Structure formats: C-alpha cells, structure tokens
Amino acid sequence: MRTDLAVIGAGPAGIAAALAAARRGIRVALVDAAQGPGGQYFRQPAPGLRAEGAAPRHGRRTWARLRDALAASTVDVRPEHHVWCVERESGGLTVHALLGPEQRESVELRADAVLLATGGYETVLPFPGWTLPGVVTAGGAQAMLKGHLVTPGHTVVVAGTGPLLLPVATGLAAAGVRVAALVESTDPARLPRHARALAGKLPEAAGYAARLLRHRVPVLTRHTVVRAHGEGRLTGVTVAALDARGRVRPGTERLLPCDALAVGDGMLPHTDLAQTLGCRLDGHAVAVDAEQRTDVPGVWAAGEATGIGGAALALAEGHIAGRSIADRLRGTTPDADAWLPAARARARGRTAAAALHALHSPPAHRGDGVPDDTVICRCEEVTAGAVREALTLGAGDTRTVKLLTRAGMGWCQGRMCAPGVAAVTGCPPAPARRPFARPVPLGVLAAQYDRTAPPDDRPRPEEGPS
Amino acid sequence: MKTPDGADTGSAARRTCAFEVTFDGRQVEALPGRTVAAVLWAAGITSWRTTRDGGRPRGVFCGIGVCFDCLVTVNGRPNQRACLVPARPGDDIRTQEGTGHED
C-alpha cells in the first residue's frame, strides 16, 4: 500500500499531525499498535466494557473533538500495527508493521513522508523488591485502569517522582482504591524557583491537590520507597525521608502496608525507529527543527519522541508537523506565521517541560543505596552486585557492563534496566541502538531478503518460531 | 466485583456479555475487550510467570507492552504479553515457567 504520509503513533501528536495534513489534501495513514487511536493519554475503555464515566479520562472535551474530527476526515486509521522498522529507500520510506495481537504477519506501507509520534515509556529506578507482583509502573496502573477498569490491588501506594503521579493517585482513588500514600521524592521547597515556568500548569495542579484532599490521600514529599516487601506478592513498602542531598535519612523508615505499588521516576522517549533511520538525537530525544523535521529527509517527529512534555505540547508539535509536511510534500516552503498560535503553545509547553524535568529529577545517589542482591535487569535477572563487579573488571560504560553481565540483553532490550544500570554504575545513560523496535519472528525477517520471489515462494511468517 | 487481591471496577458491564476462560485449569470470568492481564487482575491474580533463573513470580509491570514481564502461555503458545493480548472465550491461560518451552 502507498500513501503520502505515514504517521506512526496515534496519540495526541500523531492525531494532530494526521488531521492537519489531511485537511490540506494529503493522504494520511495513521498507524498504531493499540486497538484504537488515543495513545496512552487519551486511552479509552475497551468498547465491550461500556463504562461511560467509570474510568479516568483525560482531556475529555479535547478527545471528543479529535475523535470526531478523525471520524469525519480522510485519515486512514490502522490500529494493531506494531511498527518494527522504517527504512529509507529510493522513492520514499517503507514502514514495516506486524499485525494484530498475534504479531506473526508483517505488512509494508510505503510513504513519501513519515512522522514519528512514537511517544515514551516510563522509567523506574530499582529498589529491593521491585520485581514483586503487585509492583507496577504508575503509567501501567493508569493504562490498566483507563483501558480495562482494573486495579492491581485494594490498597495502593503511589510513589516516585513526576507529574504523572498526581493523575495516577487521584484516578485510583476515584476508582475506589484506598491510596495509602502519594510518595514524591521532590522537595516542594524547590517549586518556587520554577513557579514562573509552571504558572500555566497551576490550575491543573490545584485540581489534583483538591482531589487528593477529597479522597484523603496522605502526601509524603521528599520521601522515597526504599524496599518492597512480600513473598510471591507485595504486602507492603518501607518509605523513608530524604535529606537535602537526596540520601535516605536514617531512622525515618516506616512501613506502609499495601497490596500494590504504582511507581514511576519519569519517562523516556521511544527513539528506536528514529535511530534506525539515522536521525540525530539530542540527548535521549529525537532532534527536530522549528518545523519538527528530523535531519533525515522525509522524516518528521513530534510529541514525547522529541522530548517528554505532555499532551498539550504534543498536540502543538503534531499540528505544526502536519502543516509542514503538507507544504513540503507539495514542494512549497511553509510560512511559519501560519501556525503562530501552535508555535506559541509549543514554546510555553517546552518551558514548562524543562521546569518539570528540573524539578522532578530522581534523587541523586539513588544508585549507591541499592543493595548488591537487588535485581537490576528484570529480564536477565542481573543483580546490582553483578553490575558493580563488572565495574571492578574495568567496565567504564553501560555498554561494556551489558557485554559482561547481560544486563540489557533480554526481551525488553534494556528499556527497563538502562536507568538502573546508569544509576548503579554512575555511567551516563546513553540511548541504546536497537535495529528493530520490537521482537520480530525470524520468518518475517527471512521474507525481507526474498522480496523478488513470488509470494508463494517466500517463507511463511507463521512458520517462524514465536 | 471485589476480590481479595485485584479489583474490578467494570461491574456495569458484568453479566451482559461475560465469558469464561481458564487460568491453570480453573475457571475465570472475563469481559469482552479486556486483555489477558486485565482478566487475571479482575480475578485477583497478579502473577503468571516464573523467571528462567530464579524461578521468581512475575506479572504486569509496565502495562503497555514494553517490559515483557507479563509473558504468559495462552492456548499452548508461550511468551504472549498478557497486557496486549485480548482474552477470548475459552482461552486456556497457563502460568509460564521459564522460557515456556521444554528446554
């Protein structure tokens, strides 16, 4: 199949871009791994649950507007497309996606332009007991509640740092879960120095504060979870106060009984597709210009992929990208004045995002306090002790630690353990290079090398191992 | 539905089109549109895999298909991400031990 623009990711950025481009006559395919558009922020309950009002829904009015606009548009929405690679070839770009929950069959989509709106994923720094069932990421608890109306337990502690913890705690409380505490490692005394940049976020924050009060959720700032307890599943967490340097204050530990912990220490952008295409990164994020163009011709990026900043920023970036793509595909130079309101919203969003990032950096020295027997790499079951041993053997970067210990070689390809390895080793975290953005059956890969053969002669994907 | 462990806030949709699946041989009620992980959480089940080396229990961690901690065997096929795979009537869901293959 061929289209003008393939948008990868149907969250706020992808939808905004698809709509902006389609309104200007561009043929758009909007592909996403989920069963419907919305991304994580606008995640909707599964249709079969018919649960109007039961799940937390963010930006309800914005979502209704986007959903209706999508339905009325020419955008070709393609759910259950798990994109594993985007290739640049003569005459355009080829998007490779595995289909449906089975993910055994791959399809190709050819496009003149690609927008990477791949979003982000949550990071959690390791602590003893973080692999126990009942310990989930804050975003994971949110996704399960929004999409499926289920919670990981009846008494939940929400912990870590960052703006995501507020909607997670209030969402769980509103769903009838007892939120035993909201444990935020940031010191609120640091807030005033960012007050100006965050002025636009204050009404939202005040709303969350009111809801926390209404649900009687105790808030512990400058605290952290030091240990999760349980055999086979979570029975409680020990929390402790932090000093000004981010170290645990001895003697402040206390046990909070709970059967679930929703924990998150921030987010990282999904950059695998961009890296395989050769796009330049800026730190962990895809580098883009004022039009949201990457440095690879035909490839744009918007939303969390270009830096974690939330839905409002993603909408603005997506809109700008969609308009730029529409102009560029026609061979005209865009007039940036035409999207001035979106550019202003983007500037405000980036200022606020930078302030939130500075405010919510996880405690320094967090890695020092991780005991040797704590698992760091969840997939390969590599402990902090093994990672430290790699350092004594001479490893000077996280890649060498990986080669010596297998930390980062498992199913998740280091997405979960990279921040933990960086914290324990003190090595700077570096974005890993992953040629494929997700696991691909060998049969699908084999078929790629035999494109000239008639389809009947190609290896059948379902014959590949799973 | 309230259960000792997980919790289910989707009671409005219950009994209208619920169906049965099994988890390690025992019957579990499922609602359409829910993933295997959501069905198991609603039934109070939070672990369905043991790790390859330590034999430690695991369940949902990231909830969005990134971490692969929630791998499970569904209808004889191991290594399915429970947080992504929709439950279907009659699914035979089993705890995955290690790789899920006979090593």
Side-chain angles (χ1 to χ4, degrees), chain A residues 295-367:
Chain A
D295 63 343
V296 173
V299 181
W300 279 252
E304 309 291 44
T306 63
I308 302 303
L313 177 57
L315 285 168
E317 291 181 343
H319 180 79
I320 292 166
R323 294 183 69 147
S324 162
I325 291 164
D327 285 336
R328 295 283 175 191
L329 286 183
R330 294 230 166 73
T332 58
T333 304
D335 171 15
D337 286 344
W339 59 63
L340 201 58
R344 286 192 180 127
R346 180 176 64 182
R348 281 195 305 273
R350 285 183 179 164
T351 304
L356 283 172
H357 188 72
L359 184 64
H360 288 291
S361 49
H365 315 295
R366 183 62 187 274

Side-chain angles (χ1 to χ4, degrees), chain A residues 358 389 405:
Chain A
E389 197 184 324
T405 65

Side-chain angles (χ1 to χ4, degrees), chain A residues 104 148-149 154 378 381, chain B residues 3 9 34 51 61 69 77:
Chain A
R104 296 194 207 195
H148 301 288
L149 314 178
H154 292 300
R378 302 172 65 97
E381 299 172 77
Chain B
T3 54
T9 64
R34 274 191 174 153
T51 59
F61 184 60
D69 246 351
R77 193 178 166 210

Side-chain angles (χ1 to χ4, degrees), chain A residues 57-466:
Chain A
R57 308 240 202 130
H58 293 113
R60 208 176 273 244
R61 253 174 285 167
T62 308
W63 171 245
R65 182 173 60 78
L66 294 173
R67 180 196 59 201
D68 294 347
L70 259 188
S73 75
T74 57
V75 175
D76 177 11
V77 180
R78 294 168 163 248
E80 298 198 273
H81 277 55
H82 303 258
V83 177
W84 54 273
C85 187
V86 181
E87 283 181 289
R88 240 186 116 217
E89 293 170 318
S90 59
L93 294 131
T94 304
V95 176
H96 299 271
L98 295 166
L99 288 182
E102 295 286 313
Q103 298 189 40
R104 296 194 207 195
E105 187 192 340
S106 190
V107 293
E108 290 177 9
L109 179 62
R110 285 173 214 282
D112 295 325
V114 162
L115 172 72
L116 303 171
T118 45
Y121 60 97
E122 216 171 356
T123 62
V124 179
L125 292 175
F127 52 88
W130 76 309
T131 57
L132 277 170
V135 178
V136 298
T137 66
Q142 177 87 315
M144 295 285 281
L145 180 58
K146 278 185 184 176
H148 301 288
L149 314 178
V150 288
T151 61
H154 292 300
T155 304
V156 181
V157 169
V158 179
T161 188
L164 179 63
L165 302 185
L166 293 167
V168 171
T170 55
L172 288 168
V177 172
R178 192 176 149 260
V179 180
L182 170 56
V183 181
E184 163 64 63
S185 60
T186 288
D187 182 351
R190 289 168 63 192
L191 187 57
R193 82 182 74 150
H194 302 290
R196 248 186 90 170
L198 294 173
K201 298 274 181 194
L202 284 181
E204 196 183 346
Y208 286 125
R211 268 169 270 171
L212 289 172
L213 270 175
R214 194 188 323 145
H215 293 293
R216 296 196 174 84
V217 175
V219 179
L220 300 171
T221 55
R222 235 169 96 175
H223 276 67
T224 192
V225 169
V226 292
R227 183 177 286 273
H229 306 274
E231 275 297 323
R233 78 153 297 162
L234 185 70
T235 54
V237 296
T238 296
V239 299
L242 297 166
D243 66 17
R245 295 169 64 202
R247 292 181 199 272
V248 168
R249 284 167 52 199
T252 62
E253 294 91 349
R254 63 174 139 148
L255 178 71
L256 299 177
C258 60
D259 58 2
L261 170 67
V263 59
D265 292 309
M267 287 180 64
L268 283 172
H270 274 300
T271 56
D272 308 316
L273 298 174
Q275 285 175 277
T276 303
L277 277 163
C279 300
R280 188 172 64 81
L281 297 194
D282 182 3
H284 281 276
V286 183
V288 289
D289 66 8
E291 291 177 34
Q292 301 294 137
R293 285 183 299 179
T294 72
D295 63 343
V296 173
V299 181
W300 279 252
E304 309 291 44
T306 63
I308 302 303
L313 177 57
L315 285 168
E317 291 181 343
H319 180 79
I320 292 166
R323 294 183 69 147
S324 162
I325 291 164
D327 285 336
R328 295 283 175 191
L329 286 183
R330 294 230 166 73
T332 58
T333 304
D335 171 15
D337 286 344
W339 59 63
L340 201 58
R344 286 192 180 127
R346 180 176 64 182
R348 281 195 305 273
R350 285 183 179 164
T351 304
L356 283 172
H357 188 72
L359 184 64
H360 288 291
S361 49
H365 315 295
R366 183 62 187 274
D368 303 348
V370 178
D372 276 346
D373 61 355
T374 300
V375 165
I376 302 296
C377 171
R378 302 172 65 97
C379 299
E380 296 297 308
E381 299 172 77
V382 181
T383 61
V387 168
R388 290 185 178 117
E389 197 184 324
L391 287 184
T392 66
L393 289 172
D397 56 59
T398 54
R399 185 178 154 76
T400 311
V401 170
K402 175 170 111 174
L403 295 173
L404 288 171
T405 65
R406 294 193 61 82
M409 285 191 188
W411 289 293
C412 87
Q413 288 289 288
R415 288 176 180 90
M416 292 298 119
C417 68
V421 171
V424 167
T425 58
C427 300
R433 284 191 72 93
R434 303 179 185 103
F436 305 138
R438 57 187 72 244
V440 184
L442 281 173
V444 167
L445 287 180
Q448 303 299 314
Y449 289 96
D450 201 20
R451 282 191 199 163
T452 50
D456 288 349
D457 294 346
R458 292 186 191 179
R460 287 168 48 175
E462 59 269 31
E463 286 164 4
S466 55

